[in-house]
């Protein structure tokens, strides 16, 4: 069994999950912003080109559909986040993620081993 699996506690797992779910949420928000910028540029290009209204509609509709999918994905990750928070609460696991966590065994041994949460 890998050493990491042996020292994984519910608290450490909770901190890692919290960090990762926040990262996914932030990444989805960034994708939504970039998709919005793309849609803006497509609309501006359509205004600048004389015949773009006919030819540019389909790609704009595809980008808009993609944005809708990103919004749905963002909603799902929020739901998952809420479900995980409720689960952690029922298991009496802290849900706040500190910047660093110390392994209890290392601290008792006098070693100050910091690990990223």
């Amino acid at each position: 069994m890998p050493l990491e699996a042996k020292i994984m506690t519910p608290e450490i797992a909770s901190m890692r999950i919290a960090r990762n779910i926040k990262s996914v949420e932030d990444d989805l928000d960034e994708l939504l912003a970039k998709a919005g910028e793309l849609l803006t540029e497509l609309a501006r290009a359509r205004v600048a080109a004389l015949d773009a209204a006919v030819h540019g509609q389909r790609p704009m509709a595809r980008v808009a559909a993609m944005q809708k999918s990103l919004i749905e994905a963002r909603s799902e990750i929020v739901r998952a986040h809420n479900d995980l928070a409720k689960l952690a609460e029922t298991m009496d696991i802290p849900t706040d993620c500190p910047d660093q966590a110390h392994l209890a065994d290392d601290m008792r041994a006098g070693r100050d081993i910091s690990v990223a949460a």
Side-chain angles (χ1 to χ4, degrees):
M1 177 179 288
L3 178 61
E4 187 175 293
K6 290 180 183 179
I7 61 172
M8 178 71 73
T9 65
E11 291 80 11
I12 290 173
S14 174
M15 288 187 289
R16 288 180 177 178
I17 291 167
R19 179 189 63 212
N20 284 309
I21 202 159
K22 176 70 170 114
S23 176
V24 170
E25 290 169 344
D26 291 347
D27 290 348
L28 280 168
D29 284 340
E30 186 61 32
L31 280 172
L32 279 164
K34 288 181 178 188
E37 292 167 7
L38 175 58
L39 194 56
T40 298
E41 290 305 319
L42 289 170
R44 287 188 177 133
R46 228 165 81 150
V47 169
L50 297 176
D51 65 346
V54 173
H55 300 293
Q57 184 63 28
R58 187 172 179 173
M60 284 184 67
R62 289 185 186 278
V63 171
M66 183 262 309
Q67 276 187 303
K68 183 180 179 205
S69 295
L70 288 172
I71 291 287
E72 291 168 359
R74 186 61 168 91
S75 296
E76 285 302 312
I77 197 69
V78 167
R79 288 183 191 103
H81 193 152
N82 289 336
D83 291 347
L84 288 165
K86 288 176 188 172
L87 180 61
E89 186 177 316
T90 63
M91 295 175 70
D92 200 29
I93 298 171
T95 56
D96 291 335
C97 186
D99 290 337
Q100 291 186 340
H102 298 279
L103 297 176
D105 291 339
D106 290 319
M107 291 182 69
R108 278 194 293 269
R111 296 185 301 259
D112 185 18
I113 305 291
S114 298
V115 293

